[in-house]
Amino acid sequence: VHVSVRLARLGGEPNPLAAARSDLLARGVALTELTDTNPTNHGLLDERVLEILARATRRAGRYDPDPRGWLGAREALAGRFGGEPDDYWLTASTSQAYGWLFTLLTDPGQAVATPTPGYPLIEPLARLADARVADYRTHYLHPTGWEYDLDTVRAALARPQTRALVVVNPGNPTGAYTEGATAAALGEACAARGLPLLADEVFRPFVLEAAPPPAGPPGRLADAVGTTTVFTLDGLSKLLCAPQVKLGWIRASGPGHERWAPHLDRIADAYLGVGSPVALALPELLELADDAVARVRARLSGNLATLRAVFGDGGYRVRTAHGGWMALLDVPPVLDDSALALHLLSTAHLSVHPGWFYDLDSPAPLALSLLPSPTAFAAGGAALRRAVDALA
Ligand SMILES: Cc1ncc(COP(=O)(O)O)c(C=O)c1O
């Protein structure tokens, strides 16, 4: 996703990293992949997901369209996450949820305020809805983590064209949760302009280094905001490691959320984007979620510990990762992140994401996926250390 997104941002010209990668793959060169966040490539999909879907497919002979999606599925969501079934809209993915909300909230040329550094797909999704993005910034402090630059949030919201604030909780690739007083301040900044907040919480259950170690994930952003409408976005691609199943959802909550419902219904009714089998399967699928999250958290934490062991000295620094599926690695200043990623690919056949993919401040770290199997991750990490040490 990220490589193709950055291709689009550069006007369709393959960036040198994407071109080098395609070239190596075309020549049959095996790459050591440290960027892959597709959970189905790392043995993380529970086989029971497919069995439940197969059984649900046999019950899907009749089609009974509902713009918000099958009521039984929405009851199951309300049972797990709270609220009322009518607060939920099923979508084909979280990305589709973004698209519908951008269509709902903006007229052509208007903007949504988005986090920088951040998830690179938001900007093209906005563009596809004829919207723009107004960046706001967060900064890294070691070892505390990431802090909002609230002045940049207020400046982005003060632009007359801005129609909503997007928060990714925890951020991708920063892993930073937005909680407590910060969440309340963001809510107030939105409420002061009568704007809603979009909370992308696909990574919320995947707590890594949050202190003190929580029993469960940090609370929903919407519960800490309280002063404005919040649209929470989530889906099965992370919760169940099942991106191919294609199910996401929007939950509307907070003051004034009811007024958006008929308009969102109209968009949802135009697309009717969700397949019946997955909707019918959802109540049973959600019963697998706690197991899936525990399994993935164990994988992520184990790989993060490996990374800290391999890169604990020699001018390297693994940034604090409070949650999510990515780790950020600062390396000795041998080359900038873009040249280094290209060098690692061409000389050691190691695939890493340069920080600029996510608009990370310079000197930008490398971004690594924490999903690979422990053996593959340890081998990849050691190879990365050797390759950068050789340059240094
Ligand atoms: C922060 C974030 N939001 C949303 C998504 C997309 O999820 P989906 O597969 O449901 O479209 C991703 C996928 O990587 C993501 O990183």
Side-chain angles (χ1 to χ4, degrees):
V1 164
H2 300 127
V3 172
S4 59
V5 165
R6 291 295 154 151
L7 284 179
R9 190 180 254 195
L10 295 177
E13 285 299 309
N15 69 57
L17 190 62
R21 203 186 137 85
S22 310
D23 184 47
L24 288 170
L25 290 174
R27 287 194 280 126
V29 175
L31 301 181
T32 301
E33 193 52 80
L34 286 171
T35 59
D36 186 5
T37 51
N38 177 347
T40 64
N41 288 342
H42 306 293
L44 288 164
L45 177 69
D46 186 334
E47 288 293 318
R48 288 176 293 175
V49 168
L50 304 178
E51 287 157 20
I52 292 170
L53 275 171
R55 282 203 304 276
T57 303
R58 290 195 279 276
R59 303 199 305 273
R62 228 193 89 216
Y63 183 42
D64 191 9
D66 178 334
R68 297 186 195 188
W70 179 54
L71 177 60
R74 291 185 284 115
E75 284 170 346
L77 288 171
R80 181 176 173 89
F81 297 105
E84 299 298 324
D86 274 355
D87 299 336
Y88 288 85
W89 282 258
L90 303 188
T91 62
S93 63
T94 316
S95 304
Q96 185 174 65
Y98 270 115
W100 289 6
L101 289 168
F102 292 158
T103 301
L104 173 75
L105 298 169
T106 63
D107 288 329
Q110 292 186 323
V112 288
T114 54
T116 306
Y119 178 47
L121 196 60
I122 298 177
E123 185 204 51
L125 288 172
R127 224 181 322 136
L128 287 169
D130 274 337
R132 300 170 191 191
V133 295
D135 289 349
Y136 66 86
R137 299 206 68 89
T138 64
H139 298 290
Y140 183 70
L141 296 169
H142 194 72
T144 324
W146 293 82
E147 287 197 352
Y148 273 82
D149 181 341
L150 284 174
D151 287 341
T152 63
V153 177
R154 290 190 195 100
L157 294 181
R159 296 192 200 178
Q161 295 297 310
T162 302
R163 303 312 309 151
L165 175 68
V166 176
V167 174
V168 182
N169 180 43
N172 176 10
T174 63
Y177 286 93
T178 300
E179 295 179 272
T182 309
L186 297 179
E188 276 155 29
C190 285
R193 290 220 43 228
L195 300 179
L197 194 153
L198 272 57
D200 173 345
E201 301 205 324
V202 296
F203 290 115
R204 189 167 65 88
F206 303 99
V207 182
L208 295 175
E209 298 178 320
R220 286 179 354 110
L221 188 69
D223 296 331
V225 165
T227 42
T228 195
T229 296
V230 179
F231 295 101
T232 303
L233 288 67
D234 204 346
L236 297 185
S237 73
K238 309 293 183 278
L239 187 68
L240 282 190
C241 290
Q244 77 277 43
V245 161
K246 294 286 136 207
L247 191 81
W249 55 88
I250 297 166
R251 175 180 169 190
S253 61
H257 75 267
E258 299 84 358
R259 82 178 174 97
W260 298 104
H263 306 290
L264 192 50
D265 276 345
R266 218 166 299 137
I267 296 169
D269 196 31
Y271 286 100
L272 294 171
V274 175
S276 302
V278 67
L280 292 172
L282 190 63
E284 250 188 285
L285 290 175
L286 287 176
E287 287 172 20
L288 305 181
D290 291 340
D291 267 11
V293 168
R295 197 170 50 251
V296 176
R297 272 181 72 186
R299 170 72 59 87
L300 301 164
S301 304
N303 284 341
L304 187 57
T306 300
L307 202 64
R308 292 203 176 284
V310 174
F311 293 100
D313 61 359
Y316 296 88
R317 183 178 69 174
V318 181
R319 295 195 183 184
T320 301
H322 285 143
W325 289 10
M326 300 292 283
L328 296 176
L329 175 67
D330 290 302
V331 299
V334 284
L335 288 172
D336 73 36
D337 59 312
S338 176
L340 180 60
L342 196 54
H343 176 86
L344 292 168
L345 189 67
S346 50
T347 60
H349 300 156
L350 272 171
S351 174
V352 297
H353 278 164
W356 69 265
F357 274 19
Y358 305 90
D359 288 326
L360 283 149
D361 281 334
S362 193
L366 301 177
L368 310 176
S369 163
L370 290 170
L371 283 194
S373 76
T375 328
F377 189 82
L384 176 60
R385 169 97 202 218
R386 280 195 303 277
V388 181
D389 277 353
L391 265 179

